[in-house]
Amino acid sequence: MNHVFLCGNPALDFACTVRARRTAHVETLDAPDRLDAWYVESGVVDVVSPCTEADLVRAVALREALYGLVTSRLAGDGYDDQALALVNETARKPPATPQLTAGGRWVEATPAQALSTVARHAIELLSGPEMPLMKECANPECTKIFIDRSRGGRREWCGMESCGNKIKAAAYRARKKEVRAAGAR
């Protein structure tokens, strides 16, 4: 299953489960078992009871609301009332509750509890001290939003492997081509 977690916050990682929104629009939550996998791989829960199609529909609706709120915040715009209502309604449901076991922390949850936990992460992010650290990836094709915790706040890419290397390699090839073209004149 292997989802990607580059954003620095579970709510941002969840909001960015659609890749290349402006171009290819690659959906990664295309089936209930993919949503199950996301909850576990993200660390939101250790075990989630199997999601249904209805759980997936609710999760995708929340994801779109989160993405809208985050991009509005980045643009300095006001929040959409319906998106706010959905996030708050979802967060009011009981969240996943960690338990202490002999082996350490363990979290079992229903899909509704896992989704509530994601909504609560979003509320904490959008109202907390890391909100000003949010940035959109500098790759024009990428629509991931991440928290820039780098020294000096100069991080540009969601990840070097996914976007940074591609853009840097393309820039290098363009410079080489320009040098060759200038030498041929």
Side-chain angles (χ1 to χ4, degrees):
M1 298 286 176
N2 300 341
H3 293 274
V4 177
F5 302 95
L6 302 168
C7 300
N9 181 287
L12 287 179
D13 285 317
F14 192 70
C16 294
T17 56
V18 168
R19 296 191 183 120
R21 283 178 180 265
R22 291 186 282 273
T23 55
H25 196 88
V26 178
E27 175 64 69
T28 63
L29 299 179
D30 55 1
D33 64 329
R34 297 278 295 160
L35 179 58
D36 295 340
W38 188 92
Y39 286 138
V40 172
E41 291 173 21
S42 70
V44 168
V45 299
D46 295 301
V47 175
V48 64
S49 52
C51 291
T52 64
E53 284 293 331
D55 295 321
L56 181 59
V57 167
R58 282 188 288 279
V60 168
L62 179 71
R63 178 195 63 202
E64 295 306 306
L66 292 177
Y67 190 80
L69 294 174
V70 167
T71 55
S72 291
R73 177 58 92 171
L74 286 174
D77 297 336
Y79 289 141
D80 175 79
D81 290 337
Q82 287 181 314
L84 275 177
L86 181 57
V87 170
N88 289 327
E89 174 188 328
T90 305
R92 275 193 286 276
K93 293 182 170 79
T97 306
Q99 303 293 310
L100 183 61
T101 68
R105 176 185 177 271
W106 184 256
V107 182
E108 288 184 41
T110 65
Q113 290 170 321
L115 196 60
S116 175
T117 301
V118 171
R120 289 166 183 243
H121 278 289
I123 290 168
E124 292 303 316
L125 173 64
L126 291 169
S127 64
E130 289 193 314
M131 191 279 307
L133 304 178
M134 288 190 310
K135 290 183 178 178
E136 186 171 27
C137 182
N139 178 350
E141 293 180 15
C142 183
T143 54
K144 279 193 175 32
I145 298 162
F146 60 90
I147 298 174
D148 181 3
R149 295 184 183 105
S150 67
R151 189 182 323 198
R154 297 189 315 199
R155 181 175 159 195
E156 296 181 59
W157 322 107
C158 61
M160 280 306 292
E161 296 78 26
S162 56
C163 288
N165 287 341
K166 289 177 191 173
I167 297 299
K168 287 182 175 197
Y172 175 77
R173 286 189 301 273
R175 284 191 308 273
K176 289 294 245 184
K177 185 177 179 181
E178 190 175 295
V179 167
R180 281 193 303 267
R185 291 184 212 168

